[in-house]
Each structure stands twice: as C-alpha cells, then as structure tokens.
Amino acid sequence: MGYQEAYNKLEKYGQLHVLRYYEDLSGYEKEALLEQIENTDFEVLKQCENKAELNPRGKITPIEVMQLAQNDAKREEYTKIGLDAIKAGKVGAVLLAGGMGTRLGSDEPKGVYNIGLTKDVFIFQRLIENLMDVVRQADAWIPLYVMTSDKNHATTTDFFREKEYFGYNPDYVTFFMQDMAPASDYNGKVYMEEKYKMSTSPNGNGGWFLSMMKWGVVDKIKAAGVEWLNVFAVDNVLQRIADPCFVGATIATDSAVGAKVVKKNAPDEKVGAMCLEDGRPSIVEYYEMTQELMDAKDAKGEPAYNFGVILNYLFREKDLEEIAAKKLPLHIVEKKIPYLDEEGRPVKPESPNGYKFEQLVLDMIHELDSCLPYEVVRNYEFAPIKNKTGIDSVESARALCKENGIEL
Ligand code: UTP
C-alpha cells in the first residue's frame, strides 16, 4: 500500500495520528508501517462507541449437564468409543497458546513458565505429559496443533525444539499463528508501540479455526481424516486432553460439541456457566450473572447455573467450517497496553489504559444446535494459572498438582 492510500484509509477511520512520525522513519520502517496499515482492520475500533450495546443477550435458561455419576456409569462404553476414534486418527488436539498472559506478569509465553520446585516442570511439559497418557492408552499419536501469536511464535517454537517436544513425536505437532487486532485508548484511537508500529494484541481465542484455515492447517486435518478437534487452554496444568471417555460421550450422544465443565465453588465464582440462551447452548459469563441467575434452582432444587466451563471443548470439524463463515461477537476488554507518550517515549503502563478487541471460543458454542456439558472431577482436571498468587495462580495450581501426586 502506498502512502496516499494509507493516508486515505486512516482518515476514513479517524486514525491519522498513526502517520505522525512518518517523515522521521527509515525506508524500511516506512514500508513496515504502510504494510501494517494495509493489513489492519480499523473497523473494530469503531465498536468502542456502542460498547454497552455490543452483545445483547437472549433469554437464559438452564441446560442439562451429564454429571459425574452419569458419565461414570457409562465410562467403559464411552471410553471404548473414544479410543476407537483416536486409534482411527479421527481426533486432533488444539492448544490455544496465543494469549499474552498479562495477569501472570511474565514477558515469556505462558507455556514456558516453570512451576517446578525441585526440578523443571514447564506448563507446556505438563500438557504434553497428560496428552502422552492418552497416546499410550490408545497406542496412537494424536495430532497436536498449537496456536501462537506474533508476540510469542518464535519463542514457543524454539522452546519446543530445544526441549525436544518433551518426548512428543514432532511429526504430529503443527504450529500456526493467530491474527492480531489493533489496541486503542478509551476513545478508540489506536496506540503506537513504536514510531513505525501500531500497538496490537492477539485477537482473542475465538479466531483459532479461521487462523487454521489461513495457515493451510485445515487442509492438512482433512487430508489426515481428523473429524474432531479438542480445543483447550494452555493455562490449566491438569488439563486432560483428548480424554477418551469425553470423546466417546460426545460421539455417543450425537452432540455437535462437548464441553468439559466443573461444579462451581460458589454462585459468583469467576468462571462462565453453561446455559441455554434462546434455547441454544451458550455460556453466561461470571460478570453477567445476576442475583436472579445465581439464586435460580433447577427441577431437582439444585442451583440452575452450577457448572462452569474450563476451556476444553470437542468440536466437529465440519461444523467449524460453517461457524467460520459467520461473524462471532466482538468483546472489548480493558488491558494494559504499552504505548509511546506525547514525546515519543515508550511507556509500559501499571494499570489498564485502553482496549483490546477479541473474539472468544465460547461464542462458537452458541452457533451449534446441541452441546454436551460433561462434568469432570474438579480437583483432578482443573488447575488454571492466571495469576502469580492467590486464586487461579501458580500457588494454587502447585497445590493441586501435589494433590494429584505430580512431582514438582
Ligand atoms: P485468557 O483469557 O486467560 O487470556 O486466555 P491471556 O491473554 O492468556 O491472559 P491475560 O488475560 O492477559 O492474563 C485463555 C486461553 O486462551 C488463549 C490463552 O493462551 C489461554 O490458553 N488465548 C487468549 C489465545 O490463544 N489467544 C488470545 O488472543 C487470547
């Protein structure tokens, strides 16, 4: 894109300040900035204006959950179905590792964080160890697709290579990068990170399948005959991946998607709760839980929205192609965004100073007709690391690892 075209595009979106330092830039920097302008979707920034009305919710009602006693009763049958699918190469796993992990406060990708005490135990290593349990059980490698972002791709891929994939078969590991979105101040003006670069942030975990398409990974998946994709978060160090019983239960109940859930610790716990929204499966976020929803009871007198999602979903590949053609809701999230001040000096803010724009994987659930919320034993499968200390932290995850006999 030439200068004039870039100027016109920025003018249209009220972002001309992006060219403020243009005359001071080297030829290479000028090119880089023009290319970034060409590839940036400024449309999202306009959404700041109607932030409050962005995602109106429908009528929330309870959804039936397959609880522990139910899936335990059919464990053998479901496990066999799941293992057969895995052995036939029909199940792949997608590790969402493109996030910035700002709450953890490390500049490195979250997966390279070492939770070990007497030895190295990296988050990526814990996940691979869990996946290996299933590889051994099924006696078959499970294709693993790892999503990174522009901010952490090189570090992540180098780390896997350096650690020899923690014993995983590299032929079954594919990396792909998610897209970035501009990050702005509270008025929707994009921040500058460098004089030749706008501030950007990964565009949320909802764009994973589109990015897989873009990177040619979906063609690879189809050629390999993978029919189900188990998408999961990097930060749960007890995450069970391609769990045969879960895979089997989703297939046996003919569900479009399976969602692992845990019983909530408290009605106001900060996890999204499974529900129906206008009769379709959905997730109500913790900050959307009204007192009425927290007090609601189901037919058995139990809390009606008592099961939280842990970002472990099993999608059918062919449905994902349909979802990819639709536009998922946009979420505007307050974040700390590094920027250049008025004098052009770099600033790393201590508290949130603007917005990033994200699409979320949980919104994909609502696009499907049916969902199997599948309860798992909380202390055995859910140890998220969001913070350094306190709730959902390195400390709490270490305690849960200890409870499960994992040496750290
Ligand atoms: P979080 O919502 O915890 O976000 O991600 P985060 O960016 O990792 O951490 P904070 O909020 O800045 O502290 C949940 C999962 O989604 C992935 C993360 O890597 C994690 O596995 N994710 C998140 C992406 O892959 N891309 C994104 O753009 C955002």
Side-chain angles (χ1 to χ4, degrees):
M1 176 177 267
Y3 177 86
Q4 193 54 48
E5 262 180 289
Y7 183 97
N8 294 345
K9 183 171 180 184
L10 294 170
E11 190 178 36
K12 178 173 163 204
Y13 292 104
Q15 306 285 347
L16 274 175
H17 60 284
V18 169
L19 292 171
R20 178 168 166 191
Y21 303 103
Y22 191 78
E23 288 314 317
D24 307 337
L25 303 181
S26 67
Y28 171 76
E29 289 171 338
K30 281 180 178 161
E31 247 177 64
L33 181 58
L34 294 179
E35 191 183 328
Q36 193 189 18
I37 296 167
E38 179 173 9
N39 295 329
T40 297
D41 173 13
F42 292 100
E43 201 64 43
V44 291
L45 300 173
K46 289 209 303 206
Q47 306 299 330
C48 288
E49 292 162 19
N50 54 346
K51 192 171 169 280
E53 298 96 65
L54 211 52
N55 302 315
R57 298 304 298 246
K59 186 171 163 32
I60 305 293
T61 52
I63 190 169
E64 192 152 338
V65 172
M66 181 183 274
Q67 298 191 26
L68 288 176
Q70 287 163 286
N71 62 40
D72 257 356
K74 295 210 161 188
R75 180 154 298 272
E76 220 174 292
E77 177 191 334
Y78 289 158
T79 303
K80 177 166 182 335
I81 298 172
L83 280 176
D84 285 348
I86 294 165
K87 281 183 215 268
K90 291 185 181 166
V91 181
V94 183
L95 164 54
L96 301 176
M100 297 275 280
T102 48
R103 284 170 284 173
L104 188 58
S106 158
D107 285 337
E108 303 261 73
K110 212 182 240 187
V112 314
Y113 198 88
N114 188 354
I115 61 163
L117 294 167
T118 61
K119 57 177 190 172
D120 287 343
V121 181
F122 303 98
I123 292 181
F124 280 140
Q125 177 183 352
R126 275 271 59 254
L127 298 172
I128 296 290
E129 280 168 3
N130 282 355
L131 184 55
M132 280 301 294
D133 288 346
V134 185
V135 168
R136 277 189 288 267
Q137 195 181 355
D139 194 21
W141 291 102
I142 295 160
L144 173 66
Y145 310 98
V146 184
M147 182 165 87
T148 62
S149 83
D150 186 42
K151 305 261 179 196
N152 68 18
H153 186 78
T155 328
T156 303
T157 51
D158 287 352
F159 186 73
F160 268 90
R161 252 193 314 271
E162 186 192 311
K163 301 293 177 193
E164 296 178 342
Y165 294 77
F166 298 104
Y168 212 74
N169 184 340
D171 293 345
Y172 286 83
V173 183
T174 306
F175 295 94
F176 66 100
M177 258 202 269
Q178 70 175 100
D179 286 341
M180 305 296 283
S184 76
D185 67 13
Y186 291 122
N187 298 314
K189 297 279 179 210
V190 63
Y191 275 121
M192 295 303 287
E193 189 176 313
E194 306 271 1
K195 291 182 177 173
Y196 63 92
K197 194 174 180 209
M198 292 176 275
S199 299
T200 55
S201 191
N203 66 347
N205 56 29
W208 64 276
F209 192 74
L210 269 180
S211 299
M212 274 180 127
M213 286 173 107
K214 213 163 149 180
W215 276 65
V217 183
V218 173
D219 297 336
K220 206 170 152 176
I221 283 174
K222 284 182 170 170
V226 173
E227 291 177 12
W228 294 90
L229 287 172
N230 182 199
V231 103
F232 64 98
V234 70
D235 46 30
N236 174 8
V237 289
L238 291 181
Q239 190 87 264
R240 305 302 309 175
I241 306 148
D243 169 356
C245 189
F246 174 51
V247 173
T250 307
I251 295 174
T253 53
D254 200 19
S255 306
V257 61
K260 284 201 169 188
V261 296
V262 293
K263 208 168 246 175
K264 282 166 54 175
N265 271 338
D268 61 349
E269 188 188 352
K270 288 187 172 179
V271 292
M274 283 284 343
C275 64
L276 291 172
E277 181 184 353
D278 293 336
R280 295 172 76 82
S282 192
I283 287 144
V284 49
E285 286 280 24
Y286 69 88
Y287 50 82
E288 295 170 323
M289 283 295 273
T290 57
Q291 196 58 50
E292 195 186 333
L293 290 177
M294 287 194 253
D295 294 341
K297 301 278 186 285
D298 65 15
K300 290 183 219 126
E302 298 287 330
Y305 304 98
N306 206 19
F307 291 93
V309 284
I310 61 170
L311 217 175
N312 188 319
Y313 305 107
L314 185 71
F315 287 97
R316 221 178 349 218
E317 193 278 332
K318 66 177 167 52
D319 293 333
L320 289 165
E321 295 189 36
E322 279 171 37
I323 297 174
K326 299 179 184 167
K327 223 175 164 55
L328 291 178
L330 189 71
H331 296 259
I332 302 185
V333 192
E334 270 195 69
K335 282 274 159 156
K336 296 180 223 170
I337 302 157
Y339 68 101
L340 296 182
D341 68 11
E342 280 303 299
E343 278 73 48
R345 287 175 308 220
V347 181
K348 238 182 155 180
E350 296 288 321
S351 50
N353 61 328
Y355 295 133
K356 72 174 194 178
F357 300 81
E358 295 191 327
Q359 289 184 327
L360 302 179
V361 62
L362 55 84
D363 287 320
M364 295 170 117
I365 306 292
H366 191 52
E367 300 298 326
L368 297 162
D369 295 331
S370 61
C371 173
L372 173 72
Y374 173 98
E375 189 191 1
V376 297
V377 181
R378 183 173 177 131
N379 279 18
Y380 175 59
E381 295 208 21
F382 190 45
I385 296 183
K386 300 286 182 193
N387 310 296
K388 262 213 169 90
T389 55
I391 295 171
D392 296 344
S393 67
V394 178
E395 281 174 355
S396 60
R398 277 185 182 139
L400 284 161
C401 283
K402 200 169 154 204
E403 201 178 310
N404 284 286
I406 297 162
E407 262 181 63
L408 294 177

